[in-house]
Amino acid sequence: MVDRYGSDVLGGDWRRPARGRSVELAAEPGTVVEDVETGWVGAVVRVEKAGGIHVVHLEDRHGRTRGFRLGPGFLVDGSPVTLTPPKAADAARMAAARAAASRTASGSRAVTGQRAKVASGSRIFVEGKHDAELVEKVWGADLRVEGVVVEMLDGVDDLAGAIHDFAPTAGRRMGVLVDHLVPGTKEWRVVEQARAVKPYAEHVLVVGHPYVDVWQSVKPSRLGMDAWPVIPRGTSWKVGIAAHLGWPHSTQRDLAMAWRQILSSVQTYADLEPELLGRVEELIDFVTAS
């Protein structure tokens, strides 16, 4: 006989909320949740104890952070959760994340609440735009704290003339970073002459890395390669690299986009080769020495 009225409506979990029952979820860093009461959506950045209660801090997509009492009242993908304190391993990861956030991209301790210094007289000079952008991305925060400006030379063919124009002194030092500074190259001869320019020699430090271009100072693994390829003579190095990576390379715009892609793969000093790191740190020490 067919049951015209269906099964017993009280036979199942009739008290079950429409969105399901809340489940416990450890407030791990990076977990994206929504606060039911306010609609605030953000990723967990830290959990701390304040006034005897646990507070979870959520950062929204605009970088704004807001604290909420840990516990029920949150959603993950539309399902209710009760946030609980992270486990020991999770807490350790959060502590590591906080420690990382307190460091600049160069690995230095971040200075907060301090305005950048007015630019000092000393300068660091690099060959071109890409060099300047890479130095800014990794060391920019440190240089602003020190008040050091990075300027472009547009090549080093007349490095001696640039030194004469800048006229460095003991209180106005000049540091120079040169690409492809390898014995026997044109760059090597230019630098040897520039280092002897008087009366400025003791106030100038010229250092260089061995790479054909600053692109090559980025670790190849960051771009999915085991090593940077060797580009045949007669082919523009940057064109050859972009072609090897399967990127457009027929125009200057294409090469500019290739550099943007390479630069975006750099987040901290750990993404760069030590041959560049050491030279830039050396220049910063030189121009900031009192």
Side-chain angles (χ1 to χ4, degrees):
M1 181 175 180
V2 177
D3 183 354
R4 295 170 54 194
Y5 302 101
S7 59
D8 183 356
V9 296
L10 300 180
D13 187 4
W14 58 275
R15 295 187 180 88
R16 182 178 183 275
R19 284 177 167 167
R21 295 191 181 280
S22 182
V23 297
E24 290 190 349
L25 178 69
E28 299 183 7
T31 302
V32 178
V33 300
E34 175 184 352
D35 175 62
V36 174
E37 185 175 346
T38 64
W40 184 277
V41 178
V44 174
V45 290
R46 69 180 183 277
V47 174
E48 59 189 8
K49 200 167 185 178
I53 64 171
H54 281 93
V55 177
V56 59
H57 294 266
L58 306 179
E59 182 179 283
D60 72 2
R61 61 190 180 91
H62 301 293
R64 298 172 299 187
T65 302
R66 187 169 174 180
F68 299 88
R69 183 167 183 167
L70 202 69
F74 297 95
L75 300 175
V76 171
D77 295 330
S79 300
V81 297
T82 298
L83 292 182
T84 61
K87 299 175 183 179
D90 298 328
R93 283 198 297 271
M94 294 188 87
R98 287 196 296 271
S102 69
R103 297 280 177 176
T104 67
S106 70
S108 303
R109 186 171 297 279
V111 177
T112 58
Q114 178 178 327
R115 293 182 179 180
K117 287 184 181 179
V118 175
S120 69
S122 298
R123 296 284 189 273
I124 291 176
F125 290 82
V126 296
E127 288 201 45
K129 181 180 178 182
H130 295 177
D131 307 72
E133 289 177 337
L134 185 60
V135 170
E136 162 60 28
K137 184 160 189 179
V138 177
W139 289 275
D142 303 342
L143 294 172
R144 281 187 287 277
V145 169
E146 298 291 347
V148 176
V149 174
V150 176
E151 295 190 14
M152 292 182 291
L153 289 171
D154 194 23
V156 293
D157 288 348
D158 189 22
L159 182 55
I163 293 173
H164 276 291
D165 290 343
F166 186 71
T169 65
R172 177 181 157 86
R173 294 185 167 194
M174 180 178 185
V176 184
L177 179 68
V178 178
D179 296 341
H180 199 222
L181 190 57
V182 178
T185 61
K186 176 194 71 174
E187 291 83 2
W188 185 268
R189 293 189 293 273
V190 167
V191 167
E192 287 299 296
Q193 294 171 2
R195 283 173 173 162
V197 172
K198 296 180 179 180
Y200 308 117
E202 63 180 305
H203 310 307
V204 178
L205 176 64
V206 183
V207 299
H209 57 74
Y211 306 117
V212 174
D213 191 275
V214 75
W215 289 22
Q216 205 175 10
S217 68
V218 178
K219 290 182 177 178
S221 59
R222 299 301 182 266
L223 298 163
M225 300 185 294
D226 294 327
W228 286 92
V230 176
I231 305 304
R233 286 183 176 274
T235 300
S236 164
W237 192 85
K238 291 178 179 177
V239 168
I241 292 300
H244 177 83
L245 290 167
W247 298 341
H249 52 276
S250 58
T251 66
Q252 282 302 118
R253 179 180 175 81
D254 291 337
L255 297 181
M257 292 302 296
W259 167 242
R260 303 316 301 175
Q261 186 75 8
I262 293 170
L263 185 62
S264 69
S265 73
V266 177
Q267 300 303 318
T268 72
Y269 70 96
D271 298 324
L272 301 178
E273 298 287 2
E275 288 82 357
L276 176 72
L277 293 174
R279 302 297 75 74
V280 176
E281 296 287 350
E282 191 176 351
L283 289 176
I284 293 174
D285 289 344
F286 178 76
V287 299
T288 58
S290 55

